[in-house]
């Protein structure tokens, strides 16, 4: 049974990935500092899979703790690195916090990964690296654009750090997965997204509005150059996204990668507007959503959806869930945590 380290394994995407890894027979060790997650998620994972992952509460910003961790767990076959700060707006206010949280930790981890007998590394990157791409759908070859926020910059620099390290360390095998917009929750409604405070992202804002926690959703801009005037994104079910990590990891473990640094888009290939997301929610929940149009949000791009052929062909992975299925799972989760 291969042992896989998942950093940030109690977070939104991390926890769903731990479930899929355990379902595929991997032994999982989670590192999480609980700064943006809850220890109860461990019970959710255990209840779904019937196996409790090993858990180490650890702050990756402390290099000595990272070194000690790998001394204890020297048989790790692969690392999936989710742990990072992810609020775009906060990153503008606190750039140093974001560079420290997202880059120092990556460097400390990579230094230890290089010393492992099997240096397999999966990195959480983002479609934010493409900015407003000229062509839709976006391929992996689309140019990387100057980042809109320190958060986005940490994803670009993170990719560069890994790519440069791979160039000189041929024993390191890495894959950067560029996520589009992850939404939804596990079908059991035992794990899901747990935003702290007011949600910044569309789908938790919708479900919290419907659950009565927020009065009304503000749709940021209806004067974009899109068919209905609202922004277009590629919303991917978090379980599909989690499965992409498992196949990427398997590619490295089976030494099927053709280069020691590869990048893949992880999206559905379908673009949906904000109004289409609202309509989907109303359809699956059977209730109408209170929303109003508001000014554009600074930093938002008009449209982003993935070209998925590279992941489909090379990883043999394809997103299966529709927008409706993802929205239904998000709503089931919201109802579960609010006892509705
Ligand atoms: N939106 C609203 N109202 C809200 C929240 C969002 O209308 O209350 C709109 C946004 O304007 C955007 C769409 O819903 O058009 C999606 O917004 P999200 O905040 O959910 O997602 P983003 O596409 O802005 O951001 C996501 C991730 C980031 C990542 C970025 C890359 O959250 O981590 O994609 O493009 F950097």
């Amino acid at each position: 049974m291969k042992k896989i380290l998942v950093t940030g394994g109690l977070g939104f995407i991390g926890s769903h990935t731990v479930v899929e890894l355990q379902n595929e027979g991997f032994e999982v060790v989670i590192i999480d500092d609980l700064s943006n997650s809850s220890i109860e998620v461990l019970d959710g994972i255990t209840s779904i899979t019937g196996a409790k992952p090993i858990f180490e509460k650890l702050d990756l910003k402390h290099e000595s703790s990272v070194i000690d961790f790998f001394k204890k767990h020297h048989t790790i076959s692969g690392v999936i690195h989710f742990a990072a700060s992810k609020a775009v707006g906060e990153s503008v206010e606190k750039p140093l916090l974001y560079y420290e949280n997202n880059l120092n930790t990556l460097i400390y981890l990579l230094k230890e990964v290089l010393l492992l007998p099997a240096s397999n590394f999966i990195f959480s990157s983002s479609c934010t690296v493409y900015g407003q791409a000229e062509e839709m759908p976006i391929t992996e070859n689309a140019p990387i654009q100057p980042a809109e926020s320190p958060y986005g910059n940490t994803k670009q620099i993170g990719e560069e750090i890994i790519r440069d390290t791979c160039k000189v360390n041929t024993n390191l095998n890495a894959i950067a997965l560029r996520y589009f917009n992850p939404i939804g929750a596990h079908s059991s409604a035992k794990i899901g997204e747990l935003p702290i405070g007011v949600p910044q992202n569309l789908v938790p804002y919708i479900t919290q509005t419907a659950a009565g926690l927020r009065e009304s959703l503000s749709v940021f801009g209806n004067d974009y150059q899109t068919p209905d005037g609202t922004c277009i994104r590629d919303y991917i079910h978090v379980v599909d996204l989690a499965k992409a990590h498992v196949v990427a990891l398997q590619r490295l473990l089976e030494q099927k990668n053709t280069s020691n640094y590869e990048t893949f888009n992880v999206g559905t290939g379908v673009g949906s507007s904000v109004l289409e997301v609202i309509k989907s929610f109303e359809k699956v929940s059977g209730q109408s959503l209170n929303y109003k149009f508001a000014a554009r949000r600074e930093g938002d791009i008009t449209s982003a959806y993935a070209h998925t052929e590279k992941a489909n062909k090379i990883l043999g992975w394809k997103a299966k869930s529709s927008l409706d299925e993802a929205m239904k799972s998000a709503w089931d989760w919201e109802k579960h945590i609010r006892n509705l």
Side-chain angles (χ1 to χ4, degrees), residues 85-88 125-131 149 151-152 155 179-183 193 198-206 209 216-221 224 230-235 272-275 277-278 292-304:
S85 300
K86 61 172 185 180
V88 178
S125 190
S126 166
C127 66
T128 193
V129 301
Y130 300 118
S149 67
Y151 160 77
K155 292 300 173 189
Y179 314 152
F180 283 70
N181 289 53
I183 62 164
E193 195 169 4
V198 181
Q200 306 298 308
N201 295 115
L202 178 63
V203 173
Y205 207 105
I206 289 177
T209 304
S216 151
L217 169 79
S218 293
V219 175
F220 297 140
Y224 284 95
T230 64
C231 292
I232 292 176
R233 296 287 184 275
D234 184 336
Y235 296 92
S272 305
S273 72
V274 176
L275 289 179
V277 175
I278 294 172
K292 58 180 186 296
F293 292 114
R296 290 182 176 196
R297 181 171 71 177
E298 207 184 323
D300 271 348
I301 53 168
T302 304
S303 181

Side-chain angles (χ1 to χ4, degrees), residues 66-320:
V66 179
I67 293 170
D68 290 345
F69 171 87
F70 280 93
K71 272 191 200 138
K72 190 170 158 193
H73 298 279
H74 47 84
T75 56
I76 282 172
S77 306
V79 176
I80 307 184
H81 179 42
F82 292 104
S85 300
K86 61 172 185 180
V88 178
E90 186 188 41
S91 79
V92 177
E93 303 298 320
K94 300 173 183 167
L96 291 180
L97 180 81
Y98 271 67
Y99 288 116
E100 185 182 27
N101 280 358
N102 294 4
L103 297 178
N104 287 15
T105 54
L106 171 64
I107 293 166
Y108 300 153
L109 258 181
L110 280 175
K111 280 161 79 174
E112 293 307 304
V113 168
L114 286 178
L115 304 175
L116 291 171
S119 303
N120 296 314
F121 195 79
I122 309 283
F123 179 61
S124 294
S125 190
S126 166
C127 66
T128 193
V129 301
Y130 300 118
Q132 179 57 72
E134 283 195 4
E135 279 176 39
M136 291 298 138
I138 305 173
T139 71
E140 287 80 355
N141 296 326
I144 303 300
Q145 310 244 28
E148 287 276 353
S149 67
Y151 160 77
N153 212 17
T154 66
K155 292 300 173 189
Q156 294 195 5
I157 300 171
E159 285 198 11
E160 286 166 11
I161 289 172
I162 299 165
R163 193 195 57 211
D164 289 346
T165 310
C166 280
K167 261 186 213 158
V168 288
N169 295 278
T170 48
N171 66 318
L172 176 62
N173 289 288
I175 291 180
L177 297 177
R178 294 175 177 160
Y179 314 152
F180 283 70
N181 289 53
I183 62 164
H186 194 264
S187 57
S188 65
K190 288 179 175 167
I191 55 170
E193 195 169 4
L194 284 168
I196 291 178
V198 181
Q200 306 298 308
N201 295 115
L202 178 63
V203 173
Y205 207 105
I206 289 177
T207 54
Q208 286 198 7
T209 304
L213 278 82
R214 316 274 154 213
E215 209 180 316
S216 151
L217 169 79
S218 293
V219 175
F220 297 140
N222 63 344
D223 56 353
Y224 284 95
Q225 293 289 316
T226 59
D228 66 19
T230 64
C231 292
I232 292 176
R233 296 287 184 275
D234 184 336
Y235 296 92
I236 174 167
H237 195 303
V238 66
V239 173
D240 280 328
L241 176 55
K243 287 180 175 161
H245 291 78
V246 179
V247 294
L249 177 74
Q250 276 160 340
R251 177 172 172 81
L252 298 184
L253 292 172
E254 291 162 18
Q255 301 177 352
K256 287 187 174 155
N257 49 326
T258 48
S259 151
N260 73 329
Y261 175 65
E262 297 178 319
T263 55
F264 293 95
N265 284 343
V266 190
T268 65
V270 178
S272 305
S273 72
V274 176
L275 289 179
E276 284 171 334
V277 175
I278 294 172
K279 270 193 211 114
S280 166
F281 174 79
E282 291 181 328
K283 183 173 139 195
V284 301
S285 68
Q287 65 181 82
S288 66
L289 186 80
N290 199 11
Y291 70 89
K292 58 180 186 296
F293 292 114
R296 290 182 176 196
R297 181 171 71 177
E298 207 184 323
D300 271 348
I301 53 168
T302 304
S303 181
Y305 54 95
H307 203 294
T308 60
E309 194 179 282
K310 189 176 175 194
N312 296 164
K313 281 204 172 142
I314 298 178
L315 293 179
W317 166 93
K318 199 174 187 339
K320 291 200 179 97

